[in-house]
Amino acid sequence: MVNTILQLTVRDILQRPLFRKAETYASGEALNRIVRWVHIMEVAQVGHLLNGHELILCTGIGWHEDEELSVSFLRQLIDSGASGLCIELGTYAKKPFDKMIELAERERFPLIFFREEVRYIDITQDLHAHFIHQHHRMVSELESLSKQLNQLLLSGKGIFPLLKLLHETTGAQVAFFPLNAESQFVPQMPRAKAVSYYEKWICGEILASPEKNHNLAHRPILALDHLFADLLLEAKNELSEFQTLALDRCATAVAQEMMRTKYIEEKRRRKDDQRVAEWLGGKRTPKDIAGDILSIKPSAKLSSVVVCLFDPDALPDDLQEGESLLVQQNMVARAIFEDEGFYMLQTMLQEQTVFVLLDQQSQVKWKDRLMRAIGRLQKSERYQENSLFAGIFGIGVCANDLSGAKNSYESARESVAIQRDIGQVASPFFSDLHAYRIVSALKKTGMLPSLIEEYIAPLTRYDLKKNGQLLITLKTYLAFSGSKQDTARGLFIARQTLYHRLDKIAALLGDDFMKPDKRLAIELALHAYEYTHGIFA
């Protein structure tokens, strides 16, 4: 443990030669206040001039004849976070005011009196020299710490040695909370106490109000803009600048180690993704896949499974760059999906990224959780030149066991194929595409042109020639089940305009266009038109 973590306190300052004859009014707690600078102040209004942790020297010239003003001066020092007040008695302030002493004792604020003339310039020179020397030592020791952290990173021994070094350097309690993994503490503590500690610092109100907890510092462990862990440092007294800077350096080292480890793990998984491809192709049994999963994560639930397929606009031309991008993005995806309750398997098929997701939360709001995860994925690559998740994506049917993965994959592919024809949809779940699935099947038979021609061709030709807005009017009218009021409101047009358009539609399609059987065929034709020409609004 290095000496610079022992910051200069009021108690330490009173041991220095220039304070031998000082008279002190202070409790033991008050003497433990940290002093980071010393400053001479004689004006009465000082609240806006202080940064905190200053030892103030004065003669009382600005308030010595006014007890209320002296109390106001002291109150400003306390509220501004000053560490103590030294007053030279004699020339101006003859004796300490009782109200000042009462306030100081109540607020546990040190008052120091010199009953003989003292050279404040000698005090400031002495203490400033100490602070500057201490700062140089701190920089040197931080540099030494950085070298030790780098050596541990190169040794590949993992995260625990980094945490141990942080504890040995700062003398404080170290707590490490990785997401979806076991917490680590240095020094170690009983499990019951560890759980209580976790609830106190992570789940409680402490981190929400760090300004009230000067003995605690917290650093999130971030990699690729995603949170992977939390690192905390707790000291018995107020944390020193050295301790917080040491925490910063250790947090960076931990992030690098986590990144390196996860990168290696993800790269190994990339080599094994052929097994996932064989599973989706029906060449591996669910039993084989279950064995693979349980060997990696014994606690995994092997129940419901859904496949999510991304069709990127373009992949990097450079193979090595593309491999590195895939590994990095899979790291982020795995963390995000796990955070939303899914265990992820990944593979690449036909230049499409395929995620096989095992729901660990028994399908509770699984669509909401999945869309939230995809939103976070897309947000994570906002500033990247190559995006894997910004293009079209499809989500297959959710199966109740591993044997349904192949069907889920095929339906996810169908969702992507549909969107290639009509454009991206708000809900890319295959189960939500409804009529478009029927239209897709009809497309494969070659029936779409004749369907469109028979049921809505007069409207398409009229709109093309006169921009009559009949197609969108009909689509909206059918969507509102024939409600003229709702249709006019939805189209932002007057009722008379709507009546005119409906009359024209009836003239072109026939007065019976709202009869159930014909209406069904017309709606299907509208979907077919959107399928081949893109969604119109």
Side-chain angles (χ1 to χ4, degrees):
M1 185 171 66
V2 296
N3 291 328
T4 45
I5 69 167
L6 299 176
Q7 299 189 95
L8 200 64
T9 65
V10 175
R11 188 189 307 278
D12 298 325
I13 289 175
L14 292 174
Q15 304 304 314
R16 303 183 77 80
L18 292 172
F19 286 81
R20 279 199 304 264
K21 297 182 179 180
E23 180 181 328
T24 306
Y25 288 83
S27 64
E29 183 179 346
L31 293 177
N32 288 330
R33 284 178 177 254
I34 303 299
V35 179
R36 294 179 180 166
W37 201 244
V38 59
H39 197 62
I40 300 172
M41 302 205 79
E42 297 291 3
V43 295
Q45 300 299 321
V46 298
H48 64 293
L49 301 174
L50 300 177
N51 294 323
H53 292 287
E54 297 96 348
L55 179 66
I56 303 301
L57 309 176
C58 76
T59 62
I61 189 174
W63 46 263
H64 66 282
E65 294 179 344
D66 189 332
E67 185 173 25
E68 295 302 322
L69 190 57
S70 72
V71 172
S72 172
F73 174 75
L74 180 58
R75 169 51 67 186
Q76 292 176 65
L77 297 183
I78 294 171
D79 293 343
S80 300
S83 300
L85 173 62
C86 299
I87 304 173
E88 180 187 291
L89 301 177
T91 305
Y92 299 105
K94 305 301 181 183
K95 65 175 184 177
F97 288 120
D98 292 339
K99 287 186 178 180
M100 285 187 76
I101 294 175
E102 290 174 4
L103 176 59
E105 290 178 344
R106 187 166 63 249
E107 297 290 342
R108 298 178 177 84
F109 185 83
L111 288 180
I112 302 169
F113 298 103
F114 295 103
R115 295 192 177 274
E116 297 179 3
E117 186 178 51
V118 62
R119 284 168 54 92
Y120 281 167
I121 191 170
D122 292 338
I123 292 177
T124 56
Q125 185 177 14
D126 173 54
L127 293 180
H128 287 172
H130 176 85
F131 294 140
I132 293 171
H133 176 67
Q134 186 183 48
H135 179 76
H136 285 310
R137 288 191 60 193
M138 181 179 70
V139 171
S140 175
E141 286 162 354
L142 285 171
E143 181 64 25
S144 175
L145 173 63
S146 294
K147 290 179 180 178
Q148 294 179 70
L149 289 170
N150 287 334
Q151 290 172 356
L152 289 175
L153 286 173
L154 292 173
S155 71
K157 295 180 179 179
I159 291 175
F160 186 77
L162 301 174
L163 305 179
K164 184 178 179 183
L165 177 60
L166 177 61
H167 165 67
E168 292 172 349
T169 302
T170 61
Q173 173 70 57
V174 177
F176 179 64
F177 301 104
L179 296 180
N180 305 310
E182 193 72 23
S183 303
Q184 298 183 51
F185 300 90
V186 184
Q188 194 55 261
M189 58 178 65
R191 180 172 180 80
K193 185 177 180 181
V195 171
S196 173
Y197 193 89
Y198 178 85
E199 292 174 348
K200 175 183 178 184
W201 298 119
I202 296 296
C203 305
E205 301 177 356
I206 301 299
L207 291 181
S209 306
E211 70 280 357
K212 298 179 182 179
N213 303 281
H214 301 294
N215 66 327
L216 171 74
H218 160 256
R219 296 293 181 271
I221 304 300
L222 300 169
L224 301 175
D225 295 326
H226 184 75
L227 178 68
F228 281 91
D230 290 280
L231 180 62
L232 284 81
L233 193 68
E234 182 191 30
K236 293 181 180 179
N237 299 311
E238 183 175 344
L239 283 167
S240 68
E241 182 182 6
F242 175 81
Q243 288 172 310
T244 56
L245 291 174
L247 175 63
D248 290 335
R249 281 160 173 73
C250 186
T252 301
V254 169
Q256 292 173 346
E257 176 61 23
M258 291 192 75
M259 187 76 169
R260 184 186 69 85
T261 302
K262 290 185 177 296
Y263 188 90
I264 292 173
E265 291 176 353
E266 201 60 53
K267 202 161 187 179
R268 178 183 57 76
R269 287 190 175 104
R270 286 275 299 152
K271 292 180 179 179
D272 296 338
D273 68 1
Q274 184 60 34
R275 291 182 294 183
V276 180
E278 291 173 352
W279 176 28
L280 298 179
K283 296 178 182 179
R284 281 176 65 83
T285 67
K287 184 178 180 181
D288 294 334
I289 293 296
D292 293 340
I293 296 171
L294 294 176
S295 67
I296 299 172
K297 187 174 182 179
S299 62
K301 295 180 181 178
L302 307 178
S303 52
S304 56
V305 60
V306 63
V307 173
C308 182
L309 188 150
F310 287 88
D311 192 33
D313 296 330
L315 292 173
D317 296 329
D318 185 275
L319 290 178
Q320 186 174 357
E321 180 185 349
E323 175 72 14
S324 177
L325 175 64
L326 287 170
V327 171
Q328 289 184 11
Q329 291 300 79
N330 284 346
M331 287 168 53
V332 176
R334 191 175 304 282
I336 290 176
F337 281 126
E338 286 185 0
D339 193 36
E340 296 292 349
F342 297 95
Y343 180 79
M344 184 190 96
L345 298 169
Q346 186 274 342
T347 189
M348 289 288 293
L349 290 172
Q350 301 175 5
E351 294 190 341
Q352 293 176 325
T353 301
V354 181
F355 292 131
V356 182
L357 305 171
L358 278 66
D359 192 354
Q360 305 298 291
Q361 296 184 12
S362 304
Q363 296 183 313
V364 176
K365 295 184 177 180
W366 72 275
K367 286 187 175 181
D368 293 340
R369 290 186 285 117
L370 185 48
M371 289 301 291
R372 187 164 57 241
I374 292 172
R376 291 170 61 185
L377 269 180
Q378 294 172 334
K379 186 177 179 180
S380 72
E381 57 176 15
R382 283 178 301 176
Y383 306 112
Q384 294 183 11
E385 184 176 351
N386 298 105
S387 299
L388 298 181
F389 310 121
I392 292 173
F393 66 95
I395 302 170
V397 295
C398 185
N400 291 323
D401 55 59
L402 299 183
S403 63
K406 185 177 185 296
N407 184 39
S408 185
Y409 169 62
E410 293 298 337
S411 57
R413 288 185 62 195
E414 182 67 14
S415 174
V416 168
I418 290 171
Q419 292 180 78
R420 283 176 177 166
D421 287 330
I422 66 174
Q424 282 188 270
V425 296
S427 180
F429 295 91
F430 179 77
S431 58
D432 291 344
L433 294 177
H434 306 305
Y436 292 117
R437 291 156 54 182
I438 301 174
V439 173
S440 176
L442 291 175
K443 177 188 177 184
K444 296 171 184 177
T445 67
M447 294 177 59
L448 291 190
S450 60
L451 178 67
I452 294 170
E453 177 65 29
E454 181 176 355
Y455 287 99
I456 62 171
L459 302 188
T460 63
R461 286 192 284 269
Y462 185 88
D463 278 354
L464 186 63
K465 184 177 180 180
K466 298 189 176 182
N467 192 26
Q469 301 289 304
L470 297 186
L471 282 175
I472 185 62
T473 300
L474 178 59
K475 177 184 176 182
T476 307
Y477 187 59
L478 294 174
F480 284 115
S481 301
S483 170
K484 294 182 175 64
Q485 180 178 347
D486 291 339
T487 302
R489 187 182 299 115
L491 292 171
F492 301 101
I493 59 175
R495 285 276 198 98
Q496 291 303 319
T497 302
L498 175 63
Y499 295 156
H500 175 74
R501 290 184 186 179
L502 291 176
D503 288 342
K504 192 64 182 179
I505 290 171
L508 293 172
L509 299 185
D511 292 334
D512 61 345
F513 76 93
M514 285 298 286
K515 287 186 176 180
D517 290 348
K518 190 172 183 179
R519 170 183 171 173
L520 181 61
I522 289 173
E523 286 191 281
L524 196 58
L526 284 171
H527 280 92
Y529 185 84
E530 286 189 322
Y531 199 96
T532 54
H533 294 83
I535 295 176
F536 54 88

